């Protein structure tokens, strides 16, 4: 256990922020399941940590779903969360934009910061927090209006109704989501007429319309066919130039193909976190190895 | 088929319901069959009875056996439309069943009745004579007889056998109808407007007197312009009244002379005839065109003769407007209540109790809503409005009496549970994913509800509204307390300022049915009207529902859930 703690200590030089979460991890992992932080494996292009999860635990009523997770997600990088079903990936992801606050009887311990601002800072409104964070869900959920109105929804609710601005946003976002060419002639027809893959890209366009800093994606390709999946993956590589992306995926190849860092979670705990290459080729923890090799799932 | 039952059983294991253990298929299908049979036979009855009313019947002329007393006033000839041929109801036990005819003999003013039952035994012969005429007239129902001549005002006559007779009669009837329409326009609208203004002046006068409080000079000063206008109106009125009187006088004088079946002579003022036809000369197409003509008259005309004759346009209009007003009132109420219950209220015992109470409200007898409407809307709300805004006209109530608005509000209370329940269901059906998508875009809870949840729930809400309309349009009992009347002098929408009159009493198809069937002096004569009115009420509900269903389908298409 102590080695793990030390390994996070060594992360200090990587960031100018003093880190509080290096002491007292309550993890009960055995030595072979040691917790390894990405910091020591950081490649040379080490980015600035943008989203920092600090000693974070989360409870659904009496049930604890996340156990003392510490994790830094780099700016303009894609961080993939992998792990077997029910291990808390979605829970962690949905906490970043406080989506889980909607569930009754939940509580958390620890903190999450985005660009050094705590998301739980009482002076920050939850709505303005969500405006900084775009989210794409597993099941594409476009609104039953036109494609145009779908894209500008975030602007509409923010009270921005300038026609010219909206037109620009629609074009930029749809281009950003690689959908523009397919729908530019029918912007005002219903979004319900799109194919599954197009709908999901429309949801991405909607999520990035308000120019957030962070894009959260919860299994965005789970319901898509392989061709649509490839499109979205290519899109993510494009999008990371602008956004910090956190993606939950069940698809090992996908994580391998497009993420820069991968975190493996198991039973609510962060087991291993490192560059994607390291996690897939040289996992330090046995559970990770088993999972990546498809022996567990 | 195999004779071996076991082989058969194996062979049909997948087809045979009972073999497969699906015995309840039969139960459920039986239930459906019984329900459908009952409903369709009811509808078929209403449709048949309601439509045959408009089909022109031939006039049969019966010769009775000599010395029979079955005829009218001892005569042995009688004519009428055969309404029914049936086994006598009050036959003597032990004797053979006897048949009887039910005849519509018309000529109520002469005979004193419209219908006559005649023993089949008493009849010698039955024939359909071509020269019989049936005339609709302003009073005393239909006239059935053989035309003899037109007796003109100046003493000249046109005999019925002259070639120009029918043409001339038609021309006169048409001319008089136009003249009566003109009289109506003058009396109802132009004189009506004057009366309306006079009433206003009278109230102004009252106000001036009250404000002057005994100060003579002030009173005179205030009253002078009112007096002046009053005199002016009176002059206008006299001109119009004279005009109307002249037109009215022009209606009398020309008579149609007929011979009734018994040989009596009858003189019918042509000015009081609405239309006439030769029933036994009508071919099939003549009958069809007559059928539609009568149907149109029925839906487009005002009622006559204590509602037993004429059309039911005011009742259709009243029902329509009342139902629309009700929908407009109940929808926002119900939707807001449901949104609070489903989206905002903390789900728990209290909310569950509220929900149960709302559901049970649907079981409260409708008359109780009527009593509540009378006490709360009419007396309390209406009474107070009268006191504050229409003080001058008290003690005559202006809105403190039954009216179409109060009726609509009362019915909206009655139908509120339906809308609340349907809306709650519709809100619950909006997926979590959709809500989360909106929230993740930075929408507040209210924005999410308003921009995403409610539009998606709209089709479900409309389903609730459809049910509410069907329920509300057919409701009668509470209306009797809050504004429905047997005969309303004017419609709730008309050309008199301010055009919409929510305080006016109104006619309603449901009440019309009750009134015709159970309150009219001649129930037998009103029976066809009861069926026709019922048919119309059902048609109206169907039309309203189809309208709502069309809107709903449009919304469904718009908000259809995406498929992968
Ligand atoms: N709304 C909820 N209420 C209670 N428990 C929940 C809720 N959502 C998830 N959980 C529980 O939290 C754990 C983690 O779930 P989740 O984060 O959805 O897993 P993953 O996305 O990794 O499959 C699971 O055990 C799940 O049963
Ligand atoms: Mg999940």
């Amino acid at each position: 256990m102590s080695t793990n703690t030390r390994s996070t200590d060594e992360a200090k030089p990587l960031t100018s922020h003093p880190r509080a979460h290096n002491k007292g991890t309550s993890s009960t992992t055995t030595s072979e399941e040691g917790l390894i932080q990405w910091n020591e494996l950081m490649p040379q292009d080490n980015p600035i940590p943008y989203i920092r999860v600090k000693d974070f635990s989360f409870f659904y009523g009496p049930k604890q779903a996340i156990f003392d997770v510490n994790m830094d997600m780099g700016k303009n990088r894609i961080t993939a969360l992998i792990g077997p079903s029910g291990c808390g990936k979605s829970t962690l992801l949905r906490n970043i934009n406080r989506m889980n606050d909607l569930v009754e009887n939940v509580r958390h311990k620890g903190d999450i910061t985005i660009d050094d601002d705590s998301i739980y800072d009482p002076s920050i409104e939850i709505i303005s927090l969500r405006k900084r964070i775009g989210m794409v869900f597993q099941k594409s959920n476009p609104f039953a209006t036109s494609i145009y109105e779908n894209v500008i929804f975030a602007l509409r609710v923010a009270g921005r109704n300038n026609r010219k601005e909206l037109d620009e946003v629609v074009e930029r976002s749809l281009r950003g989501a690689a959908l523009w060419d397919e729908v530019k002639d029918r912007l005002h027809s219903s979004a319900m007429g799109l194919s599954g893959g197009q709908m999901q890209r429309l949801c991405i366009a909607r999520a990035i319309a308000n120019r957030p800093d962070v894009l959260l994606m919860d299994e965005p390709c789970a319901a898509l066919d392989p061709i649509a999946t490839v499109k979205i993956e290519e899109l993510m590589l494009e999008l990371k130039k602008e956004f910090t992306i956190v993606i939950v995926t069940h698809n090992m190849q996908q994580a391998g193909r497009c993420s820069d860092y991968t975190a493996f979670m198991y039973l609510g705990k962060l087991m291993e976190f490192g560059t994607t290459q390291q996690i897939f080729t040289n996992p330090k923890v046995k559970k990770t190895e088993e999972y990546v090799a498809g022996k567990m799932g | 088929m195999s004779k071996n039952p076991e082989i058969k059983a194996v062979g049909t294991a997948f087809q045979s319901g009972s073999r497969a253990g699906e015995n309840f298929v039969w139960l459920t299908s039986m239930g459906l069959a019984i329900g459908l049979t009952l409903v369709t036979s009811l509808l078929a009855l209403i449709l048949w009875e309601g439509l045959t009313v408009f089909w022109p019947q031939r006039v049969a002329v019966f010769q009775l056996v000599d010395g029979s007393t079955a005829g009218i006033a001892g005569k042995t000839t009688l004519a009428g439309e055969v309404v029914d041929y049936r086994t006598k109801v009050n036959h003597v036990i032990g004797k053979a069943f006897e048949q009887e005819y039910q005849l519509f003999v018309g000529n109520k003013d002469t005979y004193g009745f419209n219908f006559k039952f005649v023993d089949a035994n008493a009849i010698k012969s039955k024939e359909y004579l071509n020269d019989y005429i049936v005339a609709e007239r302003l009073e005393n129902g239909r006239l059935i007889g053989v035309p003899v001549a037109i007796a003109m005002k100046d003493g000249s006559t046109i005999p019925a056998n002259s070639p120009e007779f029918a043409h001339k009669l038609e021309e006169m009837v048409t001319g008089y109808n136009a003249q009566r329409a003109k009289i109506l326009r003058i009396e109802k609208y132009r004189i009506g407007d004057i009366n309306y203004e006079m009433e206003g002046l009278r109230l102004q006068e009252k106000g001036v007197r009250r404000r002057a409080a005994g100060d003579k000079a002030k009173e005179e000063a205030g009253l002078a312009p009112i007096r002046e206008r009053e005199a002016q109106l009176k002059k206008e009125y006299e001109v119009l009244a004279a005009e109307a009187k002249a037109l009215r006088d022009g209606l009398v004088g020309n008579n149609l002379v007929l011979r009734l079946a018994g040989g009596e002579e009858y003189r019918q003022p042509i000015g009081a005839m609405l239309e006439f036809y030769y029933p036994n000369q009508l071919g099939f197409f003549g009958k069809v065109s007559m059928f539609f003509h009568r149907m149109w008259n029925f839906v487009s005309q005002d009622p006559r003769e204590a509602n037993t004759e004429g059309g039911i346009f005011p009742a259709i209009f009243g029902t329509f407007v009342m139902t629309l007003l009700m929908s407009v009132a109940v929808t926002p109420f119900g939707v807001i209540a449901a949104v609070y219950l489903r989206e905002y209220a903390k789900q728990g015992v209290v909310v569950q109790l509220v929900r149960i109470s709302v559901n049970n409200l649907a079981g409260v007898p409708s008359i109780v809503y009527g009593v509540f409407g009378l006490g709360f809307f009419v007396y309390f709300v209406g009474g107070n409005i009268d006191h504050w805004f229409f003080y001058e006209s008290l003690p005559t109530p202006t809105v403190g009496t039954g009216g179409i608005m109060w009726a609509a509000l009362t019915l909206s209370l009655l139908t509120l549970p339906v809308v609340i329940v349907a809306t709650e269901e519709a809100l619950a059906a909006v997926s979590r994913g959709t809500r989360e998508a909106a929230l993740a875009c930075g929408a507040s809870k209210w924005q999410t509800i308003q921009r995403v949840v409610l539009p998606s729930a709209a089709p479900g809400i409309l389903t609730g509204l459809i049910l509410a309309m069907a329920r509300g349009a057919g409701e009668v009992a509470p209306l009797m307390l809050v504004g429905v009347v047997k005969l309303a002098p004017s419609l709730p929408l008309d050309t008199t300022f301010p055009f919409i009159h929510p305080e006016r009493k109104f006619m309603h198809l449901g009440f019309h049915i009750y009134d015709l069937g159970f309150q009219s002096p001649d129930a037998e004569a009103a029976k066809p009207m009861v069926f026709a009115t019922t048919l119309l009420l059902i048609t109206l509900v169907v039309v309203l529902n189809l309208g709502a269903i069309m809107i709903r389908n449009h919304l469904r298409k718009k908000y259809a859930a995406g498929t992968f």
Side-chain angles (χ1 to χ4, degrees):
Chain A
M1 228 23 274
S2 54
T3 49
N4 300 334
T5 341
R6 217 178 307 121
S7 69
T8 38
D9 272 339
E10 287 160 16
K12 263 182 182 170
L14 293 170
T15 144
S16 55
H17 312 291
R19 305 181 63 173
H21 65 268
N22 48 9
K23 42 186 183 307
T25 44
S26 61
S27 170
T28 52
T29 45
T30 58
S31 55
E32 103 224 33
E33 294 178 323
L35 189 71
I36 296 176
Q37 287 291 324
W38 60 283
N39 321 61
E40 56 188 77
L41 303 148
M42 218 45 225
Q44 288 314 298
D45 72 330
N46 173 29
I48 320 140
Y50 195 68
I51 304 168
R52 319 190 74 176
V53 182
K54 303 175 184 174
D55 278 336
F56 191 78
S57 301
F58 191 81
F59 304 81
Y60 290 108
K63 183 174 184 293
Q64 185 164 6
I66 304 259
F67 295 83
D68 287 309
V69 167
N70 284 293
M71 204 175 158
D72 287 357
M73 300 168 200
K75 194 170 169 70
N76 293 70
R77 291 294 178 272
I78 299 177
T79 307
L81 299 178
I82 62 170
S85 271
C87 68
K89 307 179 296 290
S90 297
T91 305
L92 182 61
L93 188 81
R94 291 162 56 86
N95 263 305
I96 296 174
N97 67 349
R98 295 186 62 182
M99 214 55 178
N100 266 345
D101 289 17
L102 300 172
V103 184
E104 272 178 38
N105 294 322
V106 294
R107 67 201 164 84
H108 70 276
K109 274 205 310 235
D111 198 5
I112 298 176
T113 62
I114 296 177
D115 204 9
D116 293 334
D117 299 326
S118 167
I119 62 167
Y120 295 105
D121 184 343
S123 69
I124 295 182
E125 259 197 86
I126 198 160
I127 289 177
S128 56
L129 171 76
R130 289 188 186 142
K131 282 179 183 155
R132 293 174 60 188
I133 305 174
M135 186 162 192
V136 179
F137 298 80
Q138 173 177 354
K139 189 174 184 304
S140 66
N141 46 10
F143 304 130
T145 49
S146 65
I147 294 169
Y148 188 93
E149 285 296 323
N150 259 283
V151 176
I152 58 167
F153 184 80
L155 282 81
R156 284 256 193 248
V157 296
R160 281 151 62 188
N161 287 316
N162 180 326
R163 189 81 203 177
K164 201 159 159 283
E165 185 195 2
L166 296 182
D167 285 345
E168 280 167 19
V169 168
V170 167
E171 176 161 0
R172 174 172 53 75
S173 310
L174 285 173
R175 279 192 195 283
L179 192 59
W180 175 252
D181 291 331
E182 289 161 62
V183 300
K184 62 172 182 248
D185 300 323
R186 48 171 172 152
L187 289 177
H188 293 282
S189 58
S190 170
M192 296 308 178
L194 298 175
S195 73
Q198 286 173 326
M199 277 191 194
Q200 194 62 305
R201 276 179 284 149
L202 178 64
C203 291
I204 294 175
R206 182 177 66 191
I208 63 177
N210 209 10
R211 286 189 176 279
D213 315 320
V214 177
L215 195 54
L216 307 177
M217 304 174 115
D218 194 346
E219 301 187 36
C221 303
L224 300 185
D225 59 72
I227 295 170
T229 303
V230 168
K231 271 206 173 132
I232 301 237
E233 283 172 10
E234 285 168 356
L235 179 59
M236 283 193 316
L237 294 176
E238 200 56 38
L239 288 171
K240 79 171 181 182
K241 292 176 189 154
E242 222 179 317
F243 307 100
T244 302
I245 299 177
V246 186
I247 176 173
V248 170
T249 180
H250 260 119
N251 182 333
M252 289 306 114
Q253 286 84 14
Q254 182 169 57
R257 276 194 299 267
C258 54
S259 68
D260 301 304
Y261 303 101
T262 298
F264 172 65
M265 290 181 75
Y266 184 67
L267 294 178
K269 297 183 189 99
L270 180 63
M271 300 302 292
E272 186 166 359
F273 183 27
T275 60
T276 299
Q277 200 192 6
Q278 177 258 315
I279 295 284
F280 279 89
T281 56
N282 184 23
K284 303 262 155 87
V285 181
K286 194 151 171 275
K287 277 268 187 285
T288 315
E289 194 183 333
E290 282 173 17
Y291 183 73
V292 171
K295 290 182 189 146
M296 171 177 79
Chain B
M1 281 271 154
S2 164
K3 274 180 190 146
N4 185 333
E6 263 170 73
I7 289 174
K8 185 180 165 216
V10 172
T12 57
F14 289 106
Q15 294 94 8
S16 156
S18 72
R19 287 283 175 176
E22 289 284 356
N23 295 311
F24 289 101
V25 170
W26 294 104
L27 196 70
T28 52
S29 57
M30 286 260 287
L32 179 71
I34 292 171
L36 277 184
T37 314
L38 289 176
V39 170
T40 34
S41 37
L42 178 67
L43 281 182
L45 175 78
I46 292 168
L47 205 64
W48 174 252
E49 294 276 355
L51 286 178
T52 46
V53 175
F54 304 114
W55 189 255
Q57 301 288 340
R58 289 187 297 171
V59 168
V61 183
F62 291 96
Q63 297 294 340
L64 304 182
V65 290
D66 296 333
S68 165
T69 54
I72 300 167
K75 305 273 169 50
T76 54
T77 311
L78 78 172
E81 297 169 2
V82 177
V83 178
D84 204 359
Y85 177 68
R86 62 183 187 188
T87 308
K88 267 175 122 171
V89 186
N90 50 347
H91 90 103
V92 183
I93 296 171
K95 274 186 160 180
F97 285 101
E98 287 172 352
Q99 304 295 312
E100 66 178 357
Y101 283 98
Q102 185 190 8
L103 297 183
F104 173 79
V105 292
N107 308 333
K108 196 170 176 206
D109 44 344
T110 311
Y111 299 151
F113 46 77
N114 264 326
F115 290 91
K116 176 83 188 149
F117 289 95
V118 184
D119 255 342
N121 289 339
I123 291 170
K124 196 160 75 182
S125 73
K126 172 178 155 196
E127 56 198 326
Y128 297 99
L129 298 176
N130 270 349
D131 49 359
Y132 267 84
I133 194 175
V134 174
E136 294 272 1
R137 42 191 187 162
L138 284 178
E139 277 165 3
N140 294 317
R142 266 175 272 169
L143 178 70
I144 298 178
V146 181
V148 177
I150 299 174
M152 303 290 279
K153 212 184 311 194
D154 56 15
S156 64
T157 57
I158 304 169
N161 52 15
S162 78
E164 57 181 17
F165 172 80
H167 173 71
K168 183 75 187 161
L169 186 58
E170 180 77 56
E171 199 179 273
M172 288 171 85
V173 168
T174 317
Y176 284 137
N177 278 338
Q179 201 166 327
R180 271 199 312 275
K182 216 158 152 192
I183 297 174
L184 184 78
R185 268 200 300 281
I186 292 173
E187 290 184 341
K188 190 161 175 181
Y189 298 112
R190 294 174 60 191
I191 295 185
D193 284 351
I194 290 177
N195 283 342
Y196 182 79
E197 201 179 335
M198 287 287 247
E199 181 64 23
L201 289 176
R202 207 178 55 75
L203 295 181
Q204 272 180 29
E205 187 183 324
K206 221 168 141 186
V208 166
R209 276 188 211 286
R210 189 166 52 87
R211 276 190 295 277
D215 184 340
K216 278 285 170 221
K218 210 168 153 195
E219 196 176 297
E220 283 311 313
L223 287 185
I226 297 176
R227 290 271 150 73
E228 198 176 311
R229 180 75 189 135
E230 238 171 28
Q232 202 180 338
L233 285 176
K234 210 165 239 158
K235 230 181 265 157
E236 276 177 39
Y237 167 78
E238 270 154 20
V239 173
L240 287 175
E243 200 180 323
K245 186 170 182 314
L247 284 171
R248 218 170 253 294
D249 288 343
L251 286 175
V252 294
N254 295 334
N255 288 325
L256 173 66
V257 184
L258 301 104
R259 197 169 26 76
L260 303 187
E264 310 94 325
E265 193 188 270
Y266 184 85
R267 295 176 82 82
Q268 168 66 37
I270 298 177
M273 275 169 68
L274 292 165
E275 61 184 26
F276 69 95
Y277 62 99
Y278 291 91
N280 299 346
Q281 290 178 20
L282 282 178
F284 177 73
F285 291 106
K287 282 186 175 174
V288 169
S289 91
M290 192 77 199
F291 174 79
F292 285 111
H293 173 72
R294 280 181 169 189
M295 197 142 72
W296 171 245
N297 281 349
F298 185 66
V299 298
S300 66
Q301 285 184 348
D302 283 353
R304 298 192 311 269
E305 301 193 55
N307 294 351
T308 54
E309 298 282 335
I312 54 167
F313 176 71
I316 299 175
F317 191 76
T319 312
F320 182 73
V321 171
M322 198 273 301
T323 311
L324 280 191
L325 282 177
M326 178 202 78
S327 313
V328 168
V330 74
T331 313
F333 255 143
V335 170
I336 289 170
V339 164
Y340 184 79
L341 274 181
R342 174 64 59 180
E343 304 285 330
Y344 285 105
K346 194 166 152 44
Q347 305 297 316
V349 183
V350 180
V351 167
Q352 206 51 41
L353 272 178
V354 170
R355 218 168 258 150
I356 292 171
S357 316
V358 167
N359 288 345
N360 283 333
L361 272 184
V364 173
S366 55
I367 191 75
V368 174
Y369 285 96
V371 174
F372 177 80
L374 181 69
F376 180 72
F377 291 126
V378 177
Y379 291 156
F380 179 72
V381 180
N384 276 317
I385 293 177
D386 267 357
H387 197 81
W388 294 327
F389 301 106
F390 303 101
Y391 191 80
E392 309 299 355
S393 53
L394 283 176
T396 315
T398 309
V399 295
T401 172
I404 194 162
M405 191 69 206
W406 299 144
L409 287 178
T410 305
L411 283 195
S412 68
L413 280 185
L414 180 105
T415 50
L416 192 60
V418 183
V419 177
I420 291 182
V421 171
T423 306
E424 269 212 76
E425 295 293 325
L427 291 176
V430 176
S431 75
R432 213 186 134 103
T434 312
R435 291 161 197 267
E436 285 184 343
L439 291 168
C441 283
S444 67
K445 184 157 187 180
W446 170 242
Q447 285 174 323
T448 304
I449 291 172
Q450 177 211 353
R451 288 169 181 269
V452 176
V453 177
L454 280 179
S456 309
I461 296 172
L462 272 169
T463 305
L465 188 61
I466 289 168
L467 293 173
M469 284 201 304
R471 168 107 209 260
E475 198 60 70
V476 180
L479 296 182
M480 288 153 80
L481 298 179
V482 291
V484 93
V485 283
K486 183 185 167 74
L487 194 62
S490 36
L491 299 175
L493 282 179
D494 65 15
T495 51
T496 313
F497 184 80
F499 314 118
I500 302 168
H501 308 277
E503 80 287 355
R504 280 194 184 160
K505 299 208 185 305
F506 66 107
M507 290 174 72
H508 186 274
L509 288 169
F511 181 72
H512 203 76
I513 293 169
Y514 168 75
D515 180 60
L516 282 174
F518 302 96
Q519 305 287 294
S520 80
D522 191 348
E524 200 64 45
K527 202 168 106 185
M529 294 282 278
V530 169
F531 279 110
T533 311
T534 309
L535 182 63
L536 245 150
L537 178 55
I538 294 175
T539 314
L540 186 71
V541 172
V542 168
V543 166
L544 283 170
N545 278 356
L546 281 182
I549 287 171
M550 261 153 61
I551 299 174
R552 183 177 66 183
N553 287 350
H554 175 73
L555 289 176
R556 278 234 176 97
K557 224 183 282 160
K558 205 166 148 199
Y559 296 117
T563 44
F564 288 100

